[in-house]
Amino acid sequence: MRELLSVLCCHTFHPELEAAARAEGWDDVRVIPYPVRCGCPAVRWEELLPLLPAGTTGVAVMGRACLNGLEPLEGSDLVTLIEPQQECFHLVAAPTLVNEAITRGSYLMTASWLAEWPAHLAKLGFAPDQAGEFFRDFACELLLLDSGQLSDAGERLQSMSQAVGLPARRERVGLDITRLLLRLTVNRLRWELERRRVQSRERRRAREVADLTTAMDLLGQLAMLQDEPEAVAAIEEMFRMLFAPSELFFVGWAEGVWQGLEALSPSLSAQVRGLREEWAWTASDTGFLLRLERSGHLQGVIVVEGLSFPAYREGYLETARSLAGICTLVIENARALRRIKKAEAALRRATTERLRESEIRFEATFEQAAVGIAVVSPEGRWLRVNRKLCQIVGYALEELMHLTFQEITHPDDLDKDLENVRRMLAGEIANYSMEKRYFHKNGDLVWINLTVSLVWRASGEPDYFIAVIEEIQARKEAESALRESEAHLREARRLAGLGDWKWDVRTGTHAWSEEVFRLLGCDPSGSPVGYPEVSAFFTRESWGPLADAVERSLVQGTPFGLDVEVAPENGGGTRWVTARGEALRDDDGAVRILRGTLQDITERKQAEEEIRTLNVELEARVMQRTAELEALNQELKEFAYVASHDLQEPLRTMNSYAEFLREDLGEALIQGAVEEDLRFISDAARRMQTLVQDLLAYSRSGRLEVKDHPVALGTCLTMVRENLQTSLEECAGTLTWGELPTVRGERSALISVFQNLLGNGLKFRRSGVSPVLRVEAEADGEAWRIRVSDNGIGIEERYLERIFLPFKRLHGRQAYPGSGLGLAIVKKIVERHGGGIRVESEPDRGSVFTVTLPCWHDDGSAS
Ligand code: ADP
């Protein structure tokens, strides 16, 4: 049988109930307003019944205060229910709120009532301009219980507030509570209908169904609560609504300690403590105590006292007991939630602290890092850079922040960098590392190693790059220098024909440098040849000693180095190399590795060979030359003999016969031309004789055997002065000397030196100037310098060198007689004594001849 349940309500709340019913989605429930408001006289069933639609099976009257005295309809098939709320407003607002508002003197309104307030007042006999009077005596403010139904409720309240001259307040109330009450009411109606239908046999089951529905609904409501006090307040509220008790309170057992009840009511406290069952009646027998317990853990006790409808006591209790389980769950959830919140707060505090610490650590790491670190936007703007990066690129922090990484990257490196960035943004790579160049602020290039990774937002967009920048300038320079020096080394090795090899004796592996291949005439792309197969590259004569040396090195670890001849595999001419090797030993002393070099010495060998050949040739030529010289010497000796004896002889004869002729002709005839001719003959003969003697002296001086005799130069000078005495007197000249040393040599030859020099000094005197000759000596390191000076005519500078050559004379024989051999002889003698001679002179001032002779030492040696 289809049910039609009608809910009659005070027309003031009709819209809210209507909305709640619609939200429930019932199609068998009608909400019907009746024109009564709180405080009006009681209505009777006769007035109400005509309002009910036909087919109504049950009717609930909500808002009992409006229907004072109305009792459930007896003796009718119609199931009637009088909703137990004390106040109509309880339908839409929590009783505590309503009680508080009434105590305060607030005029309670719903939104629907507000919408038509002038009409409502008019019905009560107050025109709109008298509205203020209506409220004046009993209301201090207007309170709108706003369920959100009316969109312009605020404005309406405002205008009403102005019209009636009262302040206005607005409390938001939930439609949910209306829905809950409506549902409870409807369920009870249904339950009652069902009860009646199935009679007493089915009674219990029907009740369970109803209880379950209610409990499920409450669960839905309460599970949304998040705080234990709120949960407890809501539970109390529920019990208040369901049972309308005169007293209700919750005794909570927080962490097993019961609270408050002792002070409140000692007898109740004793009863609660003794409560072992799930529930118990209170001492007054008009209420009950309910344990809220789960898994043996007591959460608290709900005390409900002074129930209004004892007739329903049993039914209430059943509902209450069902609700108790749910309430336990709710409290437990709330407590668990509280613990979670507490833990969350502690966690949050700890996390915040850790975060702060890690931020401090990060800050320190970031700023004090030995490498540059930067946070860079996806567009390349620096978002953050550390001190080290500023140092690397030479910019101040503010300057760098105005640049992009593209601007300070070398153009040649930029494309590669941007390609890496593109790939990372495309998600192809997670990070990258590359070496590149930055421009330093001063324009220099700085090599750096860059490592970049990308941080993504939770939304999947790129957030920022983290770049680590390590300066590698020094490394790059070192690498470049290394490459250069390696290239130099390679080049030097190539030029020097130096190759190196290594033989790992344990593994039997060989390694040759390119040059070794080349020296042995093999293809460098081939493999090294092992030992002893390598013998094929050497001549048999060379391999023997080389193999011996290698074997010795293998056994004894001795190094070796020897020149060997290579017979290259490619058939080219043989080459000579110096093969060097050394052994490296294991920790246990066994030879592990032999390594060494081969150096091309072919050219040296060839040069040595050439030198040897040349030496042999030279020796032969020297011997030949010596023989020739000896022969020449012999000839010269003979010439000297001839010159000294044979040439002088005719001269003497010429001279003698010229004298004879003078004697024979007598004084009388010797005059005029004859006299002159005879003088010419004698002069020529004498000159010839002098020339021959000088030539002999010159020839002798060249072959002078200098004996190791000490010669006191002072005694030489005494002798010279004696020889020149006549000449000195003739020209009124003077000859003096200072302290003179003893030297090593031939006394007669040295006398001849000084006689020549001093003789020239007298001969080349200035006319009208008496010659002044002076000899002085001074030590000069390991030699004596003996200066012979005169005040004669001097010599022009351009002739200074030439006068020491044989037959070089600067004047005609008439002006100054002489053979032109004197200084040549002096030079030869001095040189044969291991010394030298030079001249300084100034025309018309005089000349200084400086003779250098080695010092004589007491031990007889000369230096
Ligand atoms: P000679 O005296 O026989 O001419 P020397 O060999 O002694 O030959 O000298 C060569 C030349 O050097 C001389 O002819 C003279 O012109 C010049 N000469 C040598 N000694 C002096 C001197 N003391 N003063 C000026 N001229 C000199």
Side-chain angles (χ1 to χ4, degrees):
M1 196 183 103
R2 196 173 175 282
E3 291 165 1
L4 178 60
L5 306 176
S6 295
V7 178
L8 287 168
C9 71
C10 164
H11 75 283
T12 309
F13 306 104
H14 172 244
E16 279 78 13
L17 265 183
E18 190 65 55
R22 265 202 309 279
E24 289 294 320
W26 290 309
D27 54 7
D28 58 347
V29 175
R30 304 279 164 78
V31 179
I32 302 154
Y34 56 92
V36 168
R37 65 173 303 279
C38 295
C40 290
V43 290
R44 286 171 294 130
W45 276 111
E46 296 85 77
E47 294 168 36
L48 296 177
L49 289 176
L51 299 174
L52 303 177
T56 296
T57 47
V59 58
V61 180
M62 296 189 79
R64 195 179 64 158
C66 304
L67 307 166
N68 280 337
L70 191 68
E71 291 291 330
L73 195 61
E74 295 291 337
S76 164
D77 287 344
L78 203 62
V79 174
T80 56
L81 201 66
I82 310 297
E83 207 282 323
Q85 290 299 310
Q86 298 283 1
E87 296 287 341
C88 293
F89 290 106
H90 289 184
L91 290 172
V92 291
T96 42
L97 172 66
V98 175
N99 290 341
E100 188 241 20
I102 290 170
T103 314
R104 196 181 152 112
S106 310
Y107 187 81
L108 294 168
M109 301 175 287
T110 64
S112 52
W113 191 89
L114 174 66
E116 292 167 26
W117 71 271
H120 291 309
L121 286 190
K123 277 185 210 161
L124 295 171
F126 288 90
D129 57 340
Q130 297 169 318
E133 286 175 36
F134 172 76
F135 293 104
R136 189 170 41 231
D137 294 336
F138 62 94
C140 68
E141 64 168 1
L142 302 174
L143 177 58
L144 173 65
L145 302 174
D146 188 0
S147 59
Q149 295 289 98
L150 202 61
S151 60
D152 60 350
E155 290 88 72
R156 284 173 188 271
L157 182 62
Q158 199 58 39
S159 81
M160 181 181 172
S161 163
Q162 278 168 8
V164 304
L166 282 177
R169 196 152 63 88
R170 198 166 153 192
E171 280 289 348
R172 291 206 67 90
V173 296
L175 264 181
D176 286 347
I177 197 162
T178 319
R179 269 174 67 193
L180 179 71
L181 282 169
L182 188 62
R183 182 184 286 196
L184 282 169
T185 307
V186 170
N187 280 335
R188 282 218 301 278
L189 269 175
R190 284 179 174 154
W191 171 74
E192 194 57 38
L193 277 170
E194 184 66 14
R195 187 182 66 88
R196 284 196 185 182
R197 203 173 296 130
V198 298
Q199 296 299 318
S200 55
R201 290 197 319 275
E202 301 283 331
R203 183 174 167 180
R204 184 166 291 275
R205 186 167 164 265
R207 220 181 249 186
E208 277 170 8
V209 171
D211 287 351
L212 191 64
T213 314
T214 310
M216 290 306 285
D217 188 57
L218 270 175
L219 178 64
Q221 297 291 322
L222 297 180
M224 284 157 60
L225 299 169
Q226 295 197 328
D227 185 60
E228 190 183 346
E230 260 180 65
V232 170
I235 289 168
E236 284 178 354
E237 195 79 35
M238 290 302 125
F239 274 83
R240 222 179 280 284
M241 283 190 297
L242 289 171
F243 307 111
S246 57
E247 267 184 60
L248 184 142
F249 50 87
F250 174 80
V251 184
W253 260 259
E255 279 83 44
V257 180
W258 68 281
Q259 301 165 344
L261 191 59
E262 185 78 36
L264 198 68
S265 162
S267 63
L268 191 59
S269 161
Q271 200 181 351
V272 167
R273 281 172 188 240
L275 184 64
R276 291 283 176 269
E277 298 298 321
E278 198 176 57
W279 70 279
W281 290 110
T282 56
S284 66
D285 205 27
T286 61
F288 53 84
L289 293 91
L290 269 183
R291 282 172 71 99
L292 300 184
E293 185 189 52
R294 189 170 160 81
S295 310
H297 185 68
L298 193 62
Q299 311 265 11
V301 174
I302 289 181
V303 182
V304 180
E305 183 66 276
L307 294 174
S308 307
F309 297 95
Y312 289 102
R313 222 168 52 168
E314 285 291 336
Y316 285 171
L317 193 57
E318 280 298 307
T319 306
R321 285 166 65 182
S322 299
L323 285 175
I326 298 163
C327 292
T328 308
L329 205 62
V330 169
I331 291 173
E332 195 179 65
N333 281 350
R335 284 189 181 166
L337 203 70
R338 193 189 59 199
R339 281 198 295 275
I340 288 170
K341 276 185 177 172
K342 216 165 138 188
E344 260 179 9
L347 192 66
R348 224 178 357 260
R349 273 198 306 280
T351 309
T352 312
E353 182 60 22
R354 268 208 302 280
L355 204 66
R356 213 172 59 82
E357 279 173 14
S358 99
E359 264 173 16
I360 290 169
R361 267 201 300 277
F362 169 77
E363 194 66 28
T365 312
F366 188 83
E367 275 309 324
Q368 288 160 27
V371 289
I373 305 176
V375 179
V376 185
S377 78
E379 300 78 42
R381 225 162 12 84
W382 306 105
L383 299 175
R384 213 177 147 184
V385 298
N386 73 345
R387 215 175 304 153
K388 180 69 183 174
L389 181 58
C390 293
Q391 278 171 15
I392 292 174
V393 291
Y395 285 101
L397 181 69
E398 299 73 37
E399 294 172 327
L400 193 56
M401 295 302 275
H402 286 103
L403 295 167
T404 60
F405 79 80
Q406 291 94 327
E407 284 169 293
I408 62 164
T409 297
H410 189 281
D412 291 354
D413 300 332
L414 192 56
D415 285 349
K416 190 177 166 200
D417 201 0
L418 291 176
E419 173 60 12
N420 277 326
V421 168
R422 187 199 64 71
R423 292 185 62 203
M424 205 153 64
L425 287 171
E428 292 170 25
I429 49 173
N431 50 45
Y432 70 87
S433 221
M434 66 176 281
E435 290 181 358
K436 70 169 196 175
R437 287 156 291 178
Y438 276 150
F439 284 112
H440 191 275
K441 189 185 173 188
N442 65 14
D444 289 350
L445 283 174
V446 191
W447 271 103
I448 55 117
N449 186 64
L450 172 72
T451 305
V452 183
S453 50
L454 178 56
V455 176
W456 297 86
R457 289 206 189 103
S459 60
E461 285 158 21
D463 198 353
Y464 55 85
F465 296 109
I466 296 176
V468 177
I469 296 117
E470 185 191 359
E471 186 180 352
I472 53 166
Q473 184 65 21
R475 198 192 85 198
K476 277 283 174 186
E477 280 168 12
E479 276 176 9
S480 154
L482 189 65
R483 264 198 305 277
E484 214 169 284
S485 77
E486 276 177 351
H488 282 155
L489 189 65
R490 259 199 311 282
E491 184 61 9
R493 284 182 163 187
R494 193 184 64 75
L495 289 174
L498 181 68
D500 54 84
W501 53 268
K502 189 170 155 188
W503 173 17
D504 190 324
V505 182
R506 284 176 318 180
T507 60
T509 48
H510 294 261
W512 291 359
S513 74
E514 220 178 290
E515 204 58 31
V516 170
F517 282 98
R518 207 185 61 72
L519 287 172
L520 299 183
C522 320
D523 181 2
S525 60
S527 305
V529 178
Y531 180 89
E533 294 77 15
V534 74
S535 65
F537 294 105
F538 297 91
T539 59
R540 193 175 310 157
E541 297 74 29
S542 286
W543 178 250
L546 181 57
D548 286 350
V550 171
E551 297 292 343
R552 217 172 18 255
S553 198
L554 280 174
V555 177
Q556 299 167 7
T558 44
F560 61 87
L562 66 168
D563 295 349
V564 287
E565 196 174 13
V566 174
E569 205 182 31
N570 57 16
T574 61
R575 302 195 71 81
W576 278 92
V577 295
T578 300
R580 288 201 173 80
E582 65 175 5
L584 301 182
R585 295 171 185 276
D586 263 341
D587 290 344
D588 57 11
V591 172
R592 180 169 57 88
I593 279 170
L594 276 193
R595 66 178 182 191
T597 57
L598 289 187
Q599 180 161 24
D600 192 349
I601 54 163
T602 310
E603 281 177 16
R604 196 192 84 198
K605 279 279 178 189
Q606 283 168 352
E608 280 174 6
E609 191 54 40
E610 274 169 29
I611 287 170
R612 234 190 328 275
T613 314
L614 279 176
N615 271 347
V616 171
E617 273 175 28
L618 198 64
E619 235 167 79
R621 275 166 61 188
V622 165
M623 277 165 71
Q624 187 188 346
R625 189 83 185 125
T626 310
E628 283 170 9
L629 279 175
E630 274 172 0
L632 212 60
N633 252 355
Q634 191 55 36
E635 273 174 35
L636 264 176
K637 271 183 191 165
E638 281 163 16
F639 167 76
Y641 179 79
V642 170
S644 61
H645 292 93
D646 299 7
L647 274 180
Q648 285 196 71
E649 177 49 31
L651 282 174
R652 269 196 302 271
T653 309
M654 275 168 68
N655 231 351
S656 303
Y657 279 91
E659 281 304 314
F660 291 156
L661 196 56
R662 185 172 281 123
E663 282 172 17
D664 290 347
L665 286 175
E667 286 295 322
L669 289 174
I670 310 272
Q671 54 191 350
V674 177
E675 166 69 27
E676 202 173 4
D677 292 346
L678 277 175
R679 200 160 37 82
F680 280 161
I681 291 169
S682 295
D683 280 357
R686 253 198 314 279
R687 273 204 317 277
M688 185 70 172
Q689 206 170 7
T690 311
L691 197 60
V692 168
Q693 280 169 354
D694 282 355
L695 263 176
L696 263 176
Y698 181 66
S699 157
R700 268 201 301 273
S701 66
R703 286 177 284 115
L704 180 69
E705 297 277 333
V706 177
K707 298 276 175 6
D708 214 4
H709 295 149
V711 179
L713 292 183
T715 56
C716 292
L717 262 290
T718 308
M719 180 64 80
V720 170
R721 185 162 52 192
E722 273 174 25
N723 293 345
L724 295 176
Q725 191 57 40
T726 316
S727 305
L728 277 168
E729 283 168 4
E730 276 173 11
C731 58
T734 58
L735 166 60
T736 57
W737 61 87
E739 197 174 332
L740 294 176
T742 296
V743 298
R744 172 191 76 98
E746 283 294 313
R747 189 162 180 271
S748 58
L750 290 173
I751 288 173
S752 162
V753 165
F754 289 104
Q755 183 141 346
N756 254 310
L757 294 174
L758 292 167
N760 280 349
L762 287 177
K763 183 161 62 176
F764 297 107
R765 66 179 175 268
R766 274 180 282 160
S767 67
V769 179
S770 300
V772 177
L773 309 176
R774 173 77 184 164
V775 181
E776 283 169 329
E778 64 174 358
D780 178 16
E782 290 299 312
W784 286 107
R785 278 193 298 174
I786 299 125
R787 291 155 51 88
V788 180
S789 59
D790 63 49
N791 58 345
I793 60 171
I795 307 161
E796 280 184 55
E797 194 177 352
R798 59 195 163 125
Y799 299 125
L800 290 179
E801 289 299 317
R802 288 166 57 185
I803 58 172
F804 294 101
L805 298 171
F807 304 115
K808 288 292 172 205
R809 306 194 74 248
L810 306 180
H811 309 282
R813 212 169 31 249
Q814 273 72 30
Y816 300 98
S819 64
L821 280 167
L823 287 180
I825 293 167
V826 166
K827 188 166 186 276
K828 272 247 154 79
I829 294 172
V830 172
E831 284 173 354
R832 297 295 291 181
H833 278 78
I837 184 165
R838 62 189 165 82
V839 61
E840 293 156 290
S841 186
E842 213 179 317
D844 290 331
R845 298 290 296 268
S847 308
V848 180
F849 288 83
T850 305
V851 172
T852 312
L853 288 170
C855 285
W856 168 261
H857 294 291
D858 284 347
D859 60 0
S861 65
S863 52

